[in-house]
Amino acid sequence: MTPVRAKISALGIYVPPRLLTNKDLESMVDTSDQWILERVGIRERHIADKGVASSDLAVEAARKALAERGIEAGEVDAIIVATVTPDMLFPCTACIVQHKLGAKSVWGFDLNGACSAFLYAVQVGSQFILTGAHKKVLVIGSDVMSSIIDYTDRATCVIFGDGAGAVVLEPADDDSLGMVDFIHEVDGSGGCSLYMPGGGSLHPSTHATVDQKMHYVHQDGQAVFKFAVRKQTELCEKILKRNGLSAKDVDAFIPHQANRRIIMATADRLGLNPEKVIINIDRYGNTTAGTIPLAMHTARTEGKLKKGNMVLMASVGAGFTVGATLLRWAY
Ligand code: UT7
């Protein structure tokens, strides 16, 4: 019998120990603790040491999720790694993670959906559960954003951090728990608002592309900001409506952590009680594919994620990619 729903059965997170504070950034670029706190909501972010890659963060987060579930890596059927900072263009980071975890007879792949990649990967993994093809899928969001940030560009370097989170997906034995619905959209017309132009097949790395800083993140912050508030709100309203729910039915709102003002503007438009809004951007910054599992962990630590809770998740990222997910927390 194929299951009716997939559920998240375990969660693990990892951030590298080294902190980059707003004070540190004040000595690197023309910025201030006050500007970053007021305009973005970040106090500090974690940064990986040289030589530490996305796979290293992913493996640490995965080990915690597997330990919480009480299973060995070899018991999962597939590994999906959501990332825009793969260790290298190929092989995919999922292969590197598989090898480091010592997971035998497993397949996997990377998913590039920028800040929406974790939600996208959760849905892709859930489909394998729903078809009955797999019993356990490990989904990891991991990014070492510091590897693609220009630390002389104040418009981007204050925003991003490094981090990872992992979940185990399984069939839900109780039909009232687990994934309820999702809505995903992409809008490629926004591609020029947030991108890294160098290093791909269009602009392979050369001395010239490096001189032109094409190997770094480029962002039109205001364009992304406006799209994020409008589109996140739209998809969240749509997913609630089509499931016969309203803001008061949401126990926890777990959004991508790109900017505190984006999160609060979305929550306000949705009419959500601020108590239900999970925010940890102050501690981690924007970790791209890591933000949502890190925020799930924060919600749990704050006692805001309990079995049966209705959880609304939302994300917007480069692409543009945008997504909303509804689930009932299953454990
Ligand atoms: O996760 C992927 C999705 N990404 C996002 O969702 C990011 C969305 N965008 C944002 O979060 C915001 O647009 C930013 C945080 C990137 C920028 O905030 P903003 O309030 O939109 O600032 P702004 O670009 O309108 O710039 C306002 C002022 C400018 O100065 P002037 O022209 O008014 O004199 C900037 O030069 O702030 C200046 N500024 C800074 N000042 C101090 C820009 N960056 C900084 C900085 N420190 N780091």
Side-chain angles (χ1 to χ4, degrees):
M1 212 180 77
T2 51
V4 181
R5 284 186 182 177
K7 67 172 182 183
I8 292 173
S9 60
L11 167 68
I13 62 160
Y14 179 76
V15 288
R18 186 154 64 93
L19 282 178
L20 179 66
T21 65
N22 290 353
K23 209 93 216 115
D24 296 330
L25 284 160
E26 280 179 356
S27 65
M28 295 160 67
V29 288
D30 180 16
T31 192
S32 67
D33 177 45
Q34 190 190 354
W35 190 94
I36 302 170
L37 256 179
E38 284 178 9
R39 304 304 297 168
V40 205
I42 304 173
R43 288 178 193 282
E44 59 192 26
R45 65 290 288 141
H46 292 251
I47 300 291
D49 285 332
K50 244 193 168 72
V52 174
S54 292
S55 68
D56 296 307
L57 275 51
V59 163
E60 294 295 334
R63 284 199 178 115
K64 288 185 188 168
L66 293 168
E68 181 174 288
R69 181 61 185 83
I71 56 173
E72 299 292 327
E75 292 178 62
V76 305
D77 302 298
I79 300 171
I80 308 176
V81 177
T83 188
V84 284
T85 52
D87 288 22
M88 41 193 119
L89 273 179
F90 71 90
C92 69
T93 304
C95 291
I96 301 168
V97 169
Q98 172 273 330
H99 183 60
K100 287 180 177 173
L101 286 174
K104 303 269 184 256
S105 308
V106 174
W107 76 294
F109 55 90
D110 291 2
L111 192 153
N112 179 342
C115 300
S116 300
F118 182 79
L119 287 190
Y120 286 14
V122 162
Q123 286 308 331
V124 171
S126 295
Q127 302 311 307
F128 292 123
I129 302 291
L130 285 178
T131 59
H134 291 328
K135 290 274 178 276
K136 288 182 179 61
V137 178
L138 180 62
V139 173
I140 309 168
S142 181
D143 271 304
V144 175
M145 293 306 292
S146 60
S147 66
I148 54 170
I149 294 299
D150 175 3
Y151 282 95
T152 65
D153 174 16
R154 71 175 183 174
T156 51
C157 76
V158 302
I159 298 170
F160 293 97
D162 303 336
V167 295
V168 177
L169 297 174
E170 294 186 61
D173 30 28
D174 176 343
D175 288 352
S176 67
L177 300 174
M179 299 300 158
V180 174
D181 197 6
F182 72 94
I183 303 177
H184 294 163
E185 278 185 27
V186 298
D187 179 357
S189 70
C192 53
S193 297
L194 179 52
Y195 67 124
M196 189 183 100
S201 55
L202 182 61
H203 301 293
S205 301
T206 61
H207 287 293
T209 64
V210 172
D211 288 346
Q212 290 164 42
K213 300 193 170 192
M214 291 167 76
H215 56 301
Y216 290 135
V217 170
H218 295 251
Q219 174 170 255
D220 175 351
Q222 288 196 5
V224 182
F225 190 107
K226 285 179 196 152
F227 180 85
V229 175
R230 178 173 63 79
K231 214 54 197 178
Q232 268 191 165
T233 307
E234 181 190 315
L235 292 201
C236 287
E237 277 172 346
K238 199 166 158 186
I239 202 168
L240 288 173
K241 190 166 176 220
R242 81 179 186 189
N243 285 278
L245 301 170
S246 70
K248 67 176 174 9
D249 299 308
V250 175
D251 297 305
F253 176 52
I254 303 184
H256 170 52
Q257 311 280 312
N259 187 316
R260 190 175 214 285
R261 289 183 298 132
I262 293 178
I263 296 171
M264 292 318 296
T266 306
D268 187 49
R269 288 178 184 201
L270 289 170
L272 287 165
N273 177 347
E275 284 285 297
K276 298 177 176 180
V277 181
I278 308 302
I279 298 185
N280 63 12
I281 191 171
D282 51 319
R283 278 171 281 157
Y284 299 121
N286 181 350
T287 57
T288 302
T291 60
I292 294 211
L294 284 170
M296 280 188 214
H297 189 269
T298 296
R300 202 163 68 169
T301 310
E302 291 177 354
K304 294 180 176 171
L305 206 49
K306 301 207 175 76
K307 187 171 180 176
N309 278 172
M310 180 59 77
V311 181
L312 175 64
M313 303 191 189
S315 64
V316 174
F320 292 124
T321 57
V322 53
T325 294
L326 259 184
L327 61 87
R328 278 209 185 272
W329 194 250
Y331 69 105

